Amino acid sequence: MVPAPVAGAGRRIGMSTIIAEPGETTFAGDTAAARTLETLAFEPIQSSLPAPFQTRLAVTPLVGAHLASFDADAARLIDLDPAQVQRPEFVAYLNGERPWPGAEPSAMVYAGHQFGVYVPQLGDGRAISFGQVRNARGELWDLQSKGAGPTPYSRFADGRAVLRSTIREYLCSAAMHALGGPTTRALAIVASSEPVVRESVETGALVLRMAPSHIRFGSFEFFFHRGQHELVRTLADHVIAHHCPAFARRGGEGGQPDYAEWFGDIVERTARMIAHWQAVGFAHGVMNTDNMSIHGITLDYGPFGFLEAFDAGLICNHSDEGGRYAFDNQPGIGYWNLACLAQALTPLLEVDTLKAMLARYEPAYSGRFLALMRAKLGLTAARDDDLDLVRELFAQMQHSRADYTIVFRRLCDLGASGGPRASAQVRDLFLDRERFERWGARYRARVLEDSGSETFDDPARAARMRGVNPKFILRNYLAQTAIEAAQRGDYAEIGRLLHLLQHPFDEHPAHESYAALPPDWATGIAVSCSS
């Protein structure tokens, strides 16, 4: 069904200071539409849903709350003047100590298929949405505090997040955005002195994350499987009216919402998102239907991982004993999850119509995946055997356990007049060097055919490739280093990593070590659903 995708000084942010990276500005007051904390344009979008969908409640403040990190780029999305981070009220609003003007906090209910098994009652067990902010461009952003305390959907849990997990989500959402992938964003991390028990005693924290909405496939499943089919329609109408107005009227004014094209759009967006995951080597780790966004954006960063030593069957989630969410299973699981959503939408659409929309998945996935891989290889035109060229490279990377990011970054130098040295730097990443040389000859011929040139060296193509093949990714050991420093009260490493991950294609010569192969101790890092 789906083509196999495998086979120095840092920023230290406290409550009153921002110290920039060398060459970086602090952004204060640089937005014409800049707003203060009190003048954010909250709109009662989610709270307009009736009671069965949500519960109104307040954040439970963390003890000893203080700011750990702040992303000025994310602040721009809601027209918030980044200088507002210097006010003590900033933490007070995020921590729920002070009510945000115009905000109507609530937690939503949903269900979901978790590791293939339907769980009828889930929900925002540790997340509370303050409300939706509309920026000057007309875009809606739902501001959600993850780690905000217990809700009616916590199932006897504490409703908290730990510093470890908030750092991972905060950094990876920034990294995914910089890599060109659709994703939630994160505005800030608030750390605390409050103890939270997971595998061990850790400190509680919260991350303020942002998305058009946090509505999931499981939001529809909850009401369908309870037989509340009219509420499925209510939720669909809400989503279309507020987030997908292009599908609001079928057949002109007065017509019904175009549920078919709306679902088809979700199918295609999801397919393109997962194609991007496969192209950048990202494994989500827990693709339950309650972790799938109806906007086709990456949601709920938990036990994720980026490919390092290439392993098509990478299982990045220690809890995934059966490998259901292994890297090479992601395209198929995406389709499976969409089929679950299709079932939940049967009160709105005929089965044949839903099947027709699901059929859009494979071409949307394949087209996007191949387009991204051609760009990574510096190719501008499509050819029928391009997928085979990619698969052969992946097979060699698998055999050699070659580092995914480093291989593609070094391939950029082949066309930049790097000469024999550049060729050797790529070839020496592979165990079977003769086999790689045969692939290299085929690749060079394909590039020459693509460019219509007789010369392989092309600095312009090399520059294009460097613009899509990152030098820096969020390796688990880099995240772990930042986590361990933060647990000692030093948040500077979060700022350094954030800066590199927001500019992953640049050279950053002062931070060369962040692009190197991971150290031996990194193989012992395990992440699970509590991550």
Side-chain angles (χ1 to χ4, degrees):
M1 185 273 299
V2 178
V6 294
R11 175 191 290 178
R12 175 64 182 263
I13 297 182
M15 291 183 66
S16 60
T17 59
I18 302 178
I19 301 175
E21 281 274 348
E24 182 186 5
T25 62
T26 56
F27 308 113
D30 67 348
T31 305
R35 297 180 181 272
T36 67
L37 292 165
E38 292 78 14
T39 60
L40 287 176
F42 277 97
E43 295 187 12
I45 302 300
Q46 181 170 302
S47 60
S48 67
L49 283 165
F53 294 94
Q54 62 184 328
T55 300
R56 297 282 297 276
L57 73 169
V59 170
T60 303
L62 287 162
V63 175
H66 56 277
L67 191 64
S69 192
F70 169 77
D71 185 350
D73 286 347
R76 286 197 184 97
L77 297 173
I78 53 174
D79 301 331
L80 178 66
D81 184 348
Q84 294 289 295
V85 73
Q86 301 182 47
R87 298 174 54 195
E89 291 87 354
F90 185 81
V91 169
Y93 281 119
L94 268 61
N95 195 37
E97 300 164 46
R98 176 177 293 212
W100 229 319
E104 297 182 349
S106 64
M108 294 194 74
V109 68
Y110 48 83
H113 282 83
Q114 298 195 323
F115 293 93
V117 177
Y118 183 68
V119 180
Q121 173 72 65
L122 297 167
D124 290 329
R126 56 177 173 170
I128 296 175
S129 289
F130 288 109
Q132 294 69 51
V133 170
R134 190 179 299 276
N135 63 23
R137 297 175 297 281
E139 301 164 341
L140 273 178
W141 288 96
D142 181 42
L143 306 190
Q144 185 178 80
S145 176
K146 185 175 180 180
T151 77
Y153 317 116
S154 298
R155 293 180 292 172
F156 306 105
D158 58 22
R160 290 305 192 195
V162 295
L163 185 59
R164 164 174 52 95
S165 63
T166 59
I167 290 171
R168 287 175 57 82
E169 177 151 359
Y170 176 77
L171 291 175
C172 200
S173 59
M176 186 65 73
H177 172 69
L179 292 171
T183 178
T184 56
R185 302 293 297 276
L187 180 68
I189 298 174
V190 172
S192 80
S193 59
E194 184 172 321
V196 174
V197 178
R198 292 296 181 263
E199 287 87 349
S200 61
V201 178
E202 304 183 51
T203 54
L206 63 83
V207 60
L208 195 288
R209 61 183 184 179
M210 304 158 52
S213 84
H214 289 86
I215 297 173
R216 306 138 188 277
F217 291 9
S219 303
F220 291 90
E221 290 184 286
F222 178 81
F223 295 102
F224 171 76
H225 289 286
R226 288 167 62 96
Q228 297 174 298
H229 294 174
E230 279 307 307
L231 294 183
V232 172
R233 185 181 301 274
T234 298
L235 184 57
D237 290 348
H238 170 89
V239 169
I240 291 171
H242 294 290
H243 303 290
C244 308
F247 307 113
R249 292 288 180 266
R250 180 178 56 197
E253 192 66 28
Q256 293 295 311
D258 195 340
Y259 298 121
E261 286 301 319
W262 166 65
F263 176 60
D265 185 63
I266 295 173
V267 168
E268 292 179 353
R269 286 173 179 268
T270 302
R272 292 192 297 267
M273 174 190 73
I274 295 175
H276 183 268
W277 291 358
Q278 304 304 115
V280 300
F282 174 77
H284 185 278
V286 59
M287 290 178 65
N288 299 331
T289 57
D290 53 290
N291 292 336
M292 299 293 292
S293 166
I294 53 94
H295 300 283
I297 60 177
T298 311
L299 175 70
D300 287 339
Y301 291 91
F304 65 81
F306 283 88
L307 285 178
E308 294 178 356
F310 190 94
D311 178 8
L314 171 68
I315 303 170
C316 63
N317 182 355
H318 184 66
S319 305
D320 187 8
E321 296 179 357
R324 176 180 176 82
Y325 298 138
F327 176 73
D328 56 354
N329 284 346
Q330 291 184 143
I333 291 294
Y335 182 89
W336 192 93
N337 287 344
L338 284 162
C340 291
L341 176 59
Q343 182 185 28
L345 297 180
T346 51
L348 309 180
L349 294 164
E350 297 291 334
V351 171
D352 287 346
T353 301
L354 289 163
K355 287 182 177 179
M357 296 301 107
L358 282 170
R360 295 183 180 184
Y361 183 87
E362 193 277 336
Y365 170 83
S366 298
R368 182 63 174 156
F369 176 72
L370 277 172
L372 290 168
M373 295 310 301
R374 288 187 185 104
K376 288 176 74 66
L377 292 172
L379 304 174
T380 57
R383 227 181 71 169
D384 290 343
D385 60 350
D386 287 342
L387 181 59
D388 183 58
L389 184 72
V390 171
R391 281 175 164 162
E392 171 60 17
L393 178 60
F394 284 0
Q396 294 194 38
M397 291 169 69
Q398 177 84 36
H399 177 255
S400 302
R401 290 295 193 265
D403 188 274
Y404 187 80
T405 299
I406 292 176
V407 166
F408 277 100
R409 188 69 177 189
R410 290 191 184 178
L411 279 175
C412 303
D413 294 331
L414 287 181
S417 302
R421 182 174 181 275
S423 181
Q425 284 185 326
V426 182
R427 182 193 62 224
D428 290 351
L429 295 171
F430 295 86
L431 295 176
D432 190 338
R433 296 177 181 178
E434 290 185 4
R435 182 181 178 186
F436 177 76
E437 289 285 14
R438 291 194 296 272
W439 181 89
R442 179 182 172 189
Y443 170 57
R444 288 170 184 267
R446 175 71 180 87
V447 168
L448 294 177
E449 178 185 325
D450 184 80
S451 64
S453 171
E454 296 182 0
T455 303
F456 180 76
D457 290 339
D458 182 355
R461 186 182 73 254
R464 289 199 313 272
M465 291 174 67
R466 289 193 193 97
V468 295
N469 289 302
K471 181 175 181 177
F472 301 91
I473 59 167
L474 184 57
R475 299 177 184 272
N476 271 332
Y477 89 92
L478 294 175
Q480 185 62 26
T481 299
I483 289 165
E484 291 176 2
Q487 289 170 336
R488 298 190 299 268
D490 181 359
Y491 307 123
E493 188 64 18
I494 301 175
R496 274 190 288 273
L497 268 180
L498 179 65
H499 180 71
L500 293 174
L501 296 171
Q502 288 175 329
H503 306 88
F505 306 108
D506 297 345
E507 287 296 328
H508 302 287
H511 298 295
E512 197 71 27
S513 63
Y514 288 76
L517 287 168
D520 291 342
W521 64 263
T523 59
I525 297 173
V527 290
S528 66
C529 290
S530 70
S531 301

